[in-house]
Amino acid sequence: TGAGATSPYPIYIKWFGDYATKAGGKINYQSIGSGGGIRQLTEGTVDFGASDAPMTDAELAKAKGPILHFPAVLGAVVITYNLGGLSQLLKLNGDAIANIFAGKITKWNDSRIATLNPGVKLPAKDILVVHRSDGSGTTFIFSDYLSAVSTAWAAAPGKGKELSWPVGIGAKGNEGVAGQVKQTEGAIGYTELAYAKQNQLATAAIANQAGEYVAPSIESATAAAAGISAKLPPNTDYRISIVNAPGAGAYPISSFTWLLIPKTIPSAKKHKQLTDFLRWYL
């Protein structure tokens, strides 16, 4: 049994289903958010956890034994919005995104958005911010990015799985945020790319460190991680951030998401099943 991150749930549930068919080992995964997954793993109520935010030193110290971080898959956190009538993708930069989610840009036709989108007719609508209400690794990745590109955001609210949001309404899980944005004209939120695709939501192209406006995709998330292996220190524990990555074509809100596996698993049967699964997915 495992629990944790909602963002990789679409691929995890496919993997666990395929693995059960192939090897007969059943894996029950609860998509409850990264914070919940870390909490349940620490309490010992699940065999493994999953998180979009690596465990902190303090969280690792609370665990019953050493926890290994397995980078499972790359993900992209997208800025998704509900604005009918736009003929092209919205372009945003880090400064505009930070000001929207801080409540300092409140209208869609604000000059700080309009200057990034010349020729686009933006409505004079109020912006409704949608954020996560639960402890979320997706929030950690998003706020890690905002802290990297905005000194004001780094000062407050900063980065973490849970934040004191200046504005907006909360929704549970990537599913909840995507659903709220889909049903609310004028809304903006952040989800993992798969959820925006599943819900046929528009996603913004975001200015990266090189100044390119890059749309989220498998290719642009892969570009953000390109060369990371060359920079890894020896004996790395893989708790690394790749937000605002340099390089051509890199999507700036990209991250690994991790399976959190206890180094010691008391049940020999579960130890073998989990080890076999990890080898299989790799």
Side-chain angles (χ1 to χ4, degrees), residues 94-95 98-99 102 104 143 146-159 166:
D95 189 57
N99 280 313
K104 293 173 183 171
S143 59
L146 289 179
S147 296
V149 297
S150 165
T151 51
W153 188 279
K159 69 177 177 181

Side-chain angles (χ1 to χ4, degrees), residues 86-120:
L86 289 193
S87 58
Q88 60 201 79
L89 282 187
L90 209 55
K91 292 178 180 174
L92 294 171
N93 60 17
D95 189 57
I97 296 165
N99 280 313
I100 290 168
F101 281 83
K104 293 173 183 171
I105 293 177
T106 59
K107 296 276 188 188
W108 279 108
N109 64 346
D110 187 289
S111 61
R112 289 166 287 185
I113 301 175
T115 54
L116 304 175
N117 296 274
V120 178

Side-chain angles (χ1 to χ4, degrees), residues 86-263:
L86 289 193
S87 58
Q88 60 201 79
L89 282 187
L90 209 55
K91 292 178 180 174
L92 294 171
N93 60 17
D95 189 57
I97 296 165
N99 280 313
I100 290 168
F101 281 83
K104 293 173 183 171
I105 293 177
T106 59
K107 296 276 188 188
W108 279 108
N109 64 346
D110 187 289
S111 61
R112 289 166 287 185
I113 301 175
T115 54
L116 304 175
N117 296 274
V120 178
K121 190 167 169 49
L122 293 164
K125 269 185 188 307
D126 288 339
I127 297 173
L128 173 68
V129 168
V130 184
H131 56 74
R132 288 285 287 274
S133 60
D134 50 333
S136 157
T138 309
T139 296
F140 177 85
I141 298 163
F142 183 49
S143 59
D144 187 23
Y145 163 72
L146 289 179
S147 296
V149 297
S150 165
T151 51
W153 188 279
K159 69 177 177 181
K161 292 188 287 292
E162 296 181 72
L163 301 180
S164 294
W165 291 97
V167 291
I169 61 169
K172 190 167 172 51
N174 272 277
E175 307 93 328
V177 172
Q180 189 69 55
V181 171
K182 187 170 187 174
Q183 67 189 34
T184 312
E185 178 78 16
I188 189 169
Y190 59 94
T191 71
E192 209 285 319
L193 175 58
Y195 289 85
K197 285 192 164 186
Q198 283 174 352
N199 287 278
Q200 298 178 313
L201 293 169
T203 55
I206 300 176
N208 67 9
Q209 205 182 114
E212 299 172 279
Y213 284 93
V214 180
S217 67
I218 289 170
E219 293 75 21
S220 59
T222 302
I228 201 74
S229 59
K231 298 172 194 163
L232 286 177
N235 303 317
T236 182
D237 62 6
Y238 294 102
R239 292 187 294 161
I240 51 175
S241 169
I242 59 168
V243 298
N244 202 35
Y251 180 72
I253 324 180
S254 298
S255 178
F256 292 107
T257 187
W258 292 267
L259 287 167
L260 310 173
I261 311 292
K263 192 169 183 179

